[in-house]
Structures are given as structure tokens and as C-alpha cells.
Amino acid sequence: QVQLVESGGGSVQAGGSLRLSCTGSRLTVSSYCLGWFRQAPGKEREGVARIGRYGSTSYADSVKGRFTISKDNAKNTLYLQMNSLKPEDTAIYYCAAEPGACSYDPFRERDFPYWGQGTQVTVSS
């Protein structure tokens, strides 16, 4: 059974940084399109960043220049480096995996059959 497990969430003051990790089991990250999504209280889940099998990336406008998605195929791990965090970044962050090549729409949730359980990120002002 494919599993994705996120870690690295926590509480930080505005302007701070966090790095989220997502490790896959029974899933080889080099063969998947991988994404980070988030859901803030009372809001719908939204796409944050995506990385293709060969490293191409896409970002939501709200995080461009502040967040960086990357992966380490040898460690089978996906990362999200979050800098200059803002209170509006507060959310539960989920990693997700889509087999093979990335779809044209970078953040269409139904394209991602595998999801982690989420990790909480809280940014205080």
C-alpha cells in the first residue's frame, strides 16, 4: 500500500522558515509527479507547489519567491522549504503523488491519487 508521510510542521513567527518533508513508502518519488497542497481553517484545499519527475516546478502565485519545492530521489523524499512565512500561510499541509508525468493543470486534486495525512503549520504575527 502506497503511503506518504509528512513531517516538519510546527509553529513559527512571521518572517520565519520551516522545511516540510514527505517520505514515500511503496512509492518511488522519481517516478511520480509530486505536489504540496494546503488547507486553511474554513477554506478549501489549494495547491502550493508541484515538481515533475525530471524536476520541473510550478508554484501558486501566493508562494512564489518564498517557497521552494525539491526532492531527493536517493532518500525517496519530497521537500518544501518555506521562507518569509506569513500568518496567511497557516494551514495543514499535505503532500500528494500522481503516477508518471504531471498533468497539464498543476493543482487539480483528482489527478493525485495518493495523499499524506497532513502536517500543521502555524504562523503567528
Side-chain angles (χ1 to χ4, degrees), residues 17-108:
S17 298
L18 283 173
R19 188 177 79 157
L20 305 183
S21 300
C22 173
T23 301
S25 61
R26 300 183 187 271
L27 174 154
T28 304
V29 298
S30 61
S31 300
Y32 286 73
C33 175
L34 304 167
W36 287 100
F37 293 75
R38 67 185 181 186
Q39 187 167 20
K43 295 187 177 181
E44 292 187 354
R45 189 159 56 187
E46 63 177 359
V48 175
R50 186 188 75 174
I51 186 166
R53 291 178 298 174
Y54 304 111
S56 61
T57 58
S58 300
Y59 294 94
D61 288 342
S62 59
V63 306
K64 281 181 182 176
R66 300 189 299 121
F67 290 10
T68 302
I69 188 171
S70 63
K71 61 178 180 172
D72 186 329
N73 291 336
K75 295 183 178 180
N76 215 37
T77 300
L78 172 71
Y79 301 101
L80 185 68
Q81 178 67 43
M82 305 185 295
N83 299 328
S84 302
L85 282 161
K86 304 176 181 180
E88 51 263 43
D89 295 318
T90 295
I92 299 174
Y93 283 72
Y94 301 88
C95 63
E98 173 184 0
C102 290
S103 301
Y104 179 77
D105 186 333
F107 301 126
R108 189 167 59 189

Side-chain angles (χ1 to χ4, degrees), residues 9-14 18 85-87 89-91 93 120-124:
S11 297
V12 65
Q13 288 193 327
L18 283 173
L85 282 161
K86 304 176 181 180
D89 295 318
T90 295
Y93 283 72
Q120 176 71 46
V121 171
T122 302
V123 184
S124 58

